[in-house]
Structure formats: structure tokens, C-alpha cells
């Protein structure tokens, strides 16, 4: 695919990096010479210095023959303008990054597609949704929903006390007569190696294991990992950023008790007006005495979403030392993901990774309707729609020539999530969730064309 990316900031560079690994034809446009020089030196892509709202610059980037234009500059008005121009100049598909989540909430009414914008992406909205889901699934350190929760991906670290540590996948499955979950990926403790589990694969202490679960499988999985479901109601949020505001608003709507700490006094007053159901505290969240005065001991979860990754990590560590069950930190540095297990924070989230995952499905072959990458693991989760012409259509899973480094996690049929084992018969219209390592993605894609 020929892809043009406008904006060489963190999201734009990260996208260009991921897409260049896929051997796509990438053109990166930005006004900042320094950003472009770094990208040009480190990635196998074409760079153009200039304003992407310029028709001359877009024509220089050969926008008329582009399959996809992705606009991720810091200005949403610029991003929208570029998409409109690109579509008028012949680009097949456009995606705009925006910060005003009202645009997404009202996109059917506003009909952005008529303007030439096919998709709107809000990293802040994605991050807030991720936080909400993590709080709902309190025992897990990573989660992702397919089709409004028909199937859910969850990740957890296996403790020594988990009943199935030392057992094989097949032995663990035999505990439950009707299976409502299936393991899809394992990372052994202290390694960066991702393993696609098979029946004889052993679960070990310290494994980071990812499962696909149906709605009925949540309670079963809690039993299997040896943890209890704990309701989270009291939440402390550090930082009144866009993510902090969006998360607080969403949690208040769902009747969480929210305390938000903001360092800037004028911003704290603004937040108090916007969040009447939350308690806004003006102060420095790095101050341990302040946290204790504001009842950090009584909190079920602590979420740090300031603009400083190190502040977020350190404040979460302080919160963890006060026996808070769930800690979530927003980080910008991708390298921090490798440290999340060892430093003791439950979950790290990254805006650019969430945005990149959301955009990535548009460059996959086959009818990919959803996609995510597993945090700090070399694998992808993709949701394909089965067509009558697909090679998997009207076949049992056990009869498919499916690669060993990929696994079908589940199937959504008529809105119902199903755990699909070997005898499951795939039909046209099914939505199949697949976990795959990079070396098998092309083969998997071809099976759903």
C-alpha cells in the first residue's frame, strides 16, 4: 500500500516505524526539519518537509495514487483539512487524529464521510476507554473488547498459587466441562519470547498469559487464575489532562467515586466546573503527605495521567506501597513497557500505541474490522469477517491448514461470542478473532480474503 502520514511527532513516527516494518510505501510529511531528519535516518521511508495543507506538497507526495492518508499532527483542524484536500485530490481513504471527542460521539450526525474523512481517531478517547475496561476487569493487567464485549481479551501474570501452574493447557481446560475461555499467547517470565500455546504447553509461575473469554467465561477464569473479582468504586486520578478529564467524566457516569488531583490552580477550578460529580483537589500528586491527607489508603485504584511519564510511574509506585489494588500509569516511552512487570505497576498505557493499533487494521488484507497488539509482545489480535469466498468458510477449524504460530481465539456469530475449538464449523458472516505472530500474518490474511 502507498501510505502518506502527515505529522512526524510521536504518533506519526511510531506509525511510520511500524508500517515500514511491513514493507509499505510510506511518505512522511512535516514542517519540522529535525523530526524528519531523525525519521529519515532511522526508517526506510520517504520524507517531505512542508505544510501538508499545501496542495503542492500533497501533489509532491503523489496523493492522487495514495491508498491511505493518515493525519496525526498536533492540530485537529489541520488534520481535518488535510483529509478533505487529500480525498478531493484522489486519495482512496483518509484517517484524521482529533482531540475533541464530540466529533466521534456525533460523527453520524455530522457525516464526516461526506467531507472526505473516512475515520476519526482520538488517542485520548481510546486511552480513557482502555482505563475504564481495566477497572472493570480488576484482576487483569491488559484487556480489549471485541464487538462490545461479545469476546474480551484479558492478560494476567500467573502467581505461584494459581491452581493450574505446572499443568498443560489441555489439563487446565479439563477442569471446566464447557469451555468459555482459551489461552492465545504466553510470554515466559524474564524473556521477550512470545509463545502461541498448544494442548501440551505448560503454564509456569510468572508467565504473562493472554486469554480470549466469552461473557460466561469471566468467573471461570477468575477461579482458574486463583484470584477473586474485586469491585472497584473509589478511584484517584493524578493529572487533569484530556485523558484525565475524559476518564473522570466516564467514571462518574458509571457511578465511580472519583478524586482528581491537578497541580495547576486555574485548571483545577476549570475541572471543578466541568466535573460536578468528582472531587477536584489542587495540589502536587507527587507529595506523599497530600496523597495520605486525601485518603489514598481508601482508594481501590490509582490512575496517573499527567504529561510526565516519570511522575506517573513514581506516583503509581507510591500508591502501590499504600496497598492500592490497581495502578495504571500513562507513559510515552515505549521502552518502559518492558519494565512494567519488574517495577510493580499493574498496567502501563501508551496513547500512540493505542492510536497505532486502531489505525493498523486499515492496512491489513482481508476484511479486518478490529485489531490490537498485545502489550510488550510480538503478536497481533485481528478480527476478520468471513466471506463466502474465504478459504476458511464452511470448514471445521481442525481441517484448516492454519499456521502453528497463529491461533483462532474465538468466533462472534450474530452478536454472540463463542469459544471455537477443533470441531467448530466456520460460516460466512462469522467474525473470527485470530492471534498471530508476525511471520504468519500474511498466511492468515490470505485465508480470509
Amino acid at each position: 500500500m502507498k501510505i502518506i502520514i502527515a505529522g512526524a511527532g510521536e504518533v506519526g513516527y511510531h506509525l511510520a516505524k511500524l508500517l515500514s516494518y511491513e514493507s509499505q510505501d510510506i511518505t512522511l510529511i512535516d514542517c519540522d526539519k529535525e523530526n524528519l531528519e531523525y525519521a529519515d535516518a532511522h526508517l526506510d521511508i520517504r520524507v517531505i518537509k512542508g505544510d501538508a495543507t499545501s496542495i503542492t506538497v500533497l501533489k509532491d507526495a503523489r496523493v492522487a495514487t495514495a491508498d491511505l492518508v493518515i493525519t496525526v499532527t498536533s492540530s485537529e483542524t489541520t488534520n481535518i483539512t488535510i483529509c478533505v484536500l487529500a480525498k478531493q485530490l484522489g486519495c482512496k481513504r483518509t484517517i484524521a487524529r482529533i482531540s475533541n471527542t464530540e466529533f466521534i460521539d456525533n460523527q453520524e450526525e455530522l457525516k464526516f464521510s461526506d467531507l472526505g474523512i473516512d475515520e476519526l481517531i482520538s488517542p485520548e478517547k481510546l486511552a480513557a476507554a482502555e482505563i475504564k475496561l481495566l477497572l472493570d476487569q480488576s484482576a487483569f493487567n491488559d484487556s480489549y473488547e471485541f464487538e462490545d464485549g461479545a469476546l474480551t481479551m484479558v492478560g494476567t501474570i500467573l502467581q505461584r498459587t494459581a491452581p493450574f501452574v505446572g499443568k498443560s493447557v489441555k489439563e487446565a481446560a479439563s477442569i471446566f466441562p464447557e469451555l468459555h475461555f482459551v489461552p492465545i499467547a504466553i510470554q515466559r517470565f524474564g524473556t521477550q519470547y512470545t509463545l502461541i500455546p498448544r494442548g501440551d504447553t505448560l503454564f509456569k509461575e510468572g508467565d504473562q498469559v493472554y486469554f480470549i473469554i466469552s461473557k460466561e467465561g469471566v468467573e471461570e477464569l477468575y477461579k482458574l487464575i486463583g484470584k477473586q473479582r474485586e469491585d472497584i468504586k473509589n478511584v484517584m486520578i493524578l493529572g487533569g489532562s484530556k485523558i484525565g478529564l475524559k476518564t473522570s467524566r466516564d467514571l462518574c457516569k458509571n457511578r465511580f467515586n472519583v478524586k482528581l488531583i491537578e497541580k495547576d490552580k486555574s485548571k483545577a477550578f476549570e475541572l471543578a466546573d466541568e466535573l460536578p460529580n468528582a472531587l477536584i483537589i489542587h495540589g502536587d500528586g507527587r507529595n506523599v503527605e497530600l496523597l495520605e491527607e486525601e485518603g489514598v489508603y481508601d482508594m481501590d485504584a490509582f490512575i496517573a495521567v499527567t504529561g510526565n511519564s516519570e511522575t506517573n510511574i513514581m506516583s503509581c509506585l507510591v500508591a502501590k506501597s499504600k496497598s492500592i489494588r490497581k495502578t495504571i500509569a500513562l507513559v510515552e516511552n515505549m521502552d518502559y513497557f518492558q519494565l512494567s512487570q519488574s517495577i510493580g505497576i499493574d498496567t502501563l498505557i501508551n496513547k500512540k500505541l493505542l492510536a497505532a493499533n486502531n489505525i493498523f487494521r486499515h492496512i491489513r488484507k482481508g476484511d479486518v474490522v478490529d485489531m490490537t497488539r498485545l502489550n510488550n509482545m510480538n503478536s497481533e489480535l485481528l478480527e476478520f469477517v468471513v466471506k463466502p469466498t474465504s478459504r476458511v468458510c464452511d470448514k471445521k477449524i481442525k481441517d484448516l491448514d492454519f499456521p502453528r504460530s497463529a491461533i483462532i481465539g474465538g468466533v462472534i456469530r450474530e452478536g454472540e461470542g463463542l469459544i471455537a475449538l477443533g470441531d467448530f464449523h466456520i460460516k460466512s458472516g462469522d467474525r473470527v478473532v485470530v492471534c498471530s505472530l508476525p511471520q504468519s500474518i500474511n498466511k492468515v490474511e490470505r485465508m480470509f480474503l
Side-chain angles (χ1 to χ4, degrees), residues 294-366:
E294 297 303 334
V296 69
Y297 293 104
D298 301 323
M299 295 296 114
D300 300 314
F302 185 92
I303 303 164
V305 288
T306 73
N308 187 292
S309 300
E310 289 72 23
T311 296
N312 295 340
I313 289 172
M314 292 307 296
S315 58
C316 277
L317 290 175
V318 170
K320 203 67 178 176
S321 72
K322 307 300 180 186
S323 302
I324 289 184
R325 295 199 301 272
K326 189 79 172 178
T327 53
I328 302 171
L330 178 72
V331 297
E332 293 301 319
N333 192 328
M334 298 292 292
D335 296 332
Y336 287 154
F337 274 92
Q338 299 177 10
L339 302 173
S340 59
Q341 288 187 33
S342 58
I343 62 179
I345 296 173
D346 293 312
T347 306
L348 300 179
I349 58 173
N350 180 283
K351 285 193 302 182
K352 59 190 175 188
L353 186 61
L354 291 170
N357 286 347
N358 205 284
I359 292 169
F360 226 71
R361 72 178 189 269
H362 297 283
I363 62 109
R364 288 281 171 235
K365 297 171 187 170

Side-chain angles (χ1 to χ4, degrees), residues 237 243-253 258 260 275 278:
I237 298 174
I243 295 176
L245 173 61
K246 175 68 176 161
T247 301
S248 299
R249 186 177 285 138
D250 290 350
L251 293 181
C252 287
K253 284 179 184 176
V258 177
L260 189 152
L275 300 167

